[in-house]
Amino acid sequence: MHTRAPAATPRLNTDELVAVAVQGRIAHPVGRASAYRIGHDGVPRVLPGTGGIVLNQRIGDPCVGLAGDHVEPGVALHNNGREVVGPRDGPNNALITYACVGNLARIVSGPCTGKAGLVTGKHGGINHVLVDFPTDVLLRLRIGDRVQIVSHGQGLRLADHPRIEALNCAPRLLRRWGLVERDGRLQVPVTHLIPARIMGSGLGKNTAWRGDYDIQLADRATRTRYRLGSLRFGDLVAITDSDTRRGPVYGAGRVTIGVIVHGDSTVSGHGPGVTPLLTGPAALLRPVHDARANLAEIFGVRPAAAPRERPILAEADRRRRRVVCAAPPRLAF
């Protein structure tokens, strides 16, 4: 599959950027004290969560309605190394800060050494960097294999749009995204518009450089109105009235554009995560709808699934319970 022809890219300060190699290991999933997650519907569930190698979910796949919680598509990286200076988690802080969506990642240990992948997002809280690899590579990878990333994007600026800030974004993503400059505004392809009022977990942080914040999907009417049941891993989305320059906050008349990095959750306040990429005044940063605005399509990794509305897991479970309860009980005597 070939990447689509890019539009003329806005001028970037690429001659000023520094490329730095950072590295992480494939993280093992971490279990909590209790196996159960209590959903916003009051139902306890045992579901796969963050970490590990997710073999059957990649960018371009639906992220709503899965029997999982905060599923991270592809590979989750964490750096558990220690240095003699800095905080205990300093190396991982650097990994999650330096890595940018669109960076090249390469496996440097294990049976898949030399295989290349794509950085697709950052997941805050658990502090993982997410990387997509072809399925045949995912099937051969091992927990603990090392992956090295060429970090390139910190300090990125749009030379002709000083009021629009770039975060977590590699220049190679901006070159392929299809951005268009028109009448002093920057038009950016996205798959969905999301109102800031339904954003949840991740609010309260003082930086948007180290993770994501979540879209709450529990309200069916809002989910239907904005077609959020059709969200996919890797979708580029616009959050209206959102300002992420100094951490996510409600900002009337502003917009943040980011990428869907992890899957939905049944837990209150949580849902698909968005890593911010661009933020600025709505008068200057204009989202335009494009169903192909997904990392899988932009980088020619694989065809993205056709957008299709799917019920969230809690809603699907309610339907199943109604079907089960509708049958009359059978007595054993």
Side-chain angles (χ1 to χ4, degrees):
M1 180 180 175
H2 300 287
T3 54
R4 53 183 174 178
T9 306
R11 290 195 308 126
L12 308 174
N13 63 326
T14 49
D15 59 328
E16 299 174 353
L17 301 185
V18 178
V20 182
V22 293
Q23 190 178 116
R25 291 174 177 264
I26 298 178
H28 198 286
V30 177
R32 303 185 180 193
S34 171
Y36 295 97
R37 297 173 189 259
I38 308 300
H40 55 76
D41 56 353
V43 176
R45 297 176 176 86
V46 180
L47 300 167
T50 58
I53 305 165
V54 177
L55 303 173
N56 63 343
Q57 302 297 327
R58 295 178 58 196
I59 52 172
D61 289 332
C63 71
V64 177
L66 301 175
D69 198 285
H70 290 79
V71 169
E72 299 172 327
V75 164
L77 301 184
H78 198 270
N79 190 320
N80 293 317
R82 299 286 182 267
E83 294 290 344
V84 296
V85 296
R88 177 180 175 86
D89 54 355
N92 197 64
N93 283 343
L95 170 64
I96 196 170
T97 305
Y98 282 33
C100 293
V101 175
N103 283 161
L104 179 70
R106 195 171 298 277
I107 301 163
V108 294
S109 73
C112 297
T113 295
K115 298 295 185 181
L118 179 75
V119 175
T120 61
K122 309 177 183 186
H123 188 179
I126 193 68
N127 292 340
H128 287 163
V129 171
L130 309 182
V131 182
D132 182 79
F133 289 103
T135 301
D136 63 329
V137 174
L138 293 174
L139 291 169
R140 296 171 56 215
L141 281 171
R142 307 173 305 184
I143 301 292
D145 283 350
R146 293 188 177 93
V147 178
Q148 186 153 297
I149 295 166
V150 178
S151 163
H152 189 230
Q154 276 193 321
L156 183 67
R157 296 197 310 273
L158 284 72
D160 300 318
H161 302 275
R163 297 181 64 192
I164 298 174
E165 296 192 21
L167 311 89
N168 308 304
C169 189
R172 65 193 298 257
L173 170 56
L174 290 185
R175 294 191 191 104
R176 292 166 168 78
W177 196 339
L179 308 184
V180 174
E181 295 174 303
R182 185 167 295 162
D183 300 326
R185 297 192 297 180
L186 192 64
Q187 296 185 354
V188 184
V190 300
T191 61
H192 296 76
L193 290 179
I194 300 159
R197 61 184 170 82
I198 64 169
M199 299 306 294
S201 177
L203 292 171
K205 293 183 179 179
N206 62 5
T207 177
W209 273 97
R210 289 184 177 175
D212 66 301
Y213 71 133
D214 290 7
I215 309 166
Q216 301 180 74
L217 299 183
D219 184 71
R220 183 178 181 182
T222 303
R223 191 174 71 244
T224 301
R225 177 181 176 185
Y226 292 96
R227 303 181 296 104
L228 300 181
S230 63
L231 285 168
R232 303 165 297 187
F233 298 113
D235 273 351
L236 284 307
V237 300
I239 307 169
T240 56
D241 295 319
S242 167
D243 184 359
T244 51
R245 288 174 294 176
R246 310 294 176 260
V249 65
Y250 181 89
R254 298 190 65 88
V255 63
T256 289
I257 296 177
V259 59
I260 301 293
V261 298
H262 67 67
D264 194 16
S265 171
T266 63
V267 179
S268 294
H270 292 259
V274 181
T275 293
L277 300 173
L278 297 170
T279 188
L284 302 176
L285 185 59
R286 183 187 173 203
V288 293
H289 180 258
D290 183 350
R292 295 184 60 204
N294 183 285
L295 293 181
E297 297 278 358
I298 289 170
F299 285 97
V301 171
R302 61 200 294 257
R308 181 173 65 85
E309 289 292 312
R310 295 159 59 98
I312 60 174
L313 182 60
E315 189 173 273
D317 282 349
R318 283 196 298 271
R319 292 176 183 175
R320 283 189 282 264
R321 287 198 297 273
R322 283 199 297 268
V323 170
V324 171
C325 294
R330 292 190 177 186
L331 302 179
F333 54 88

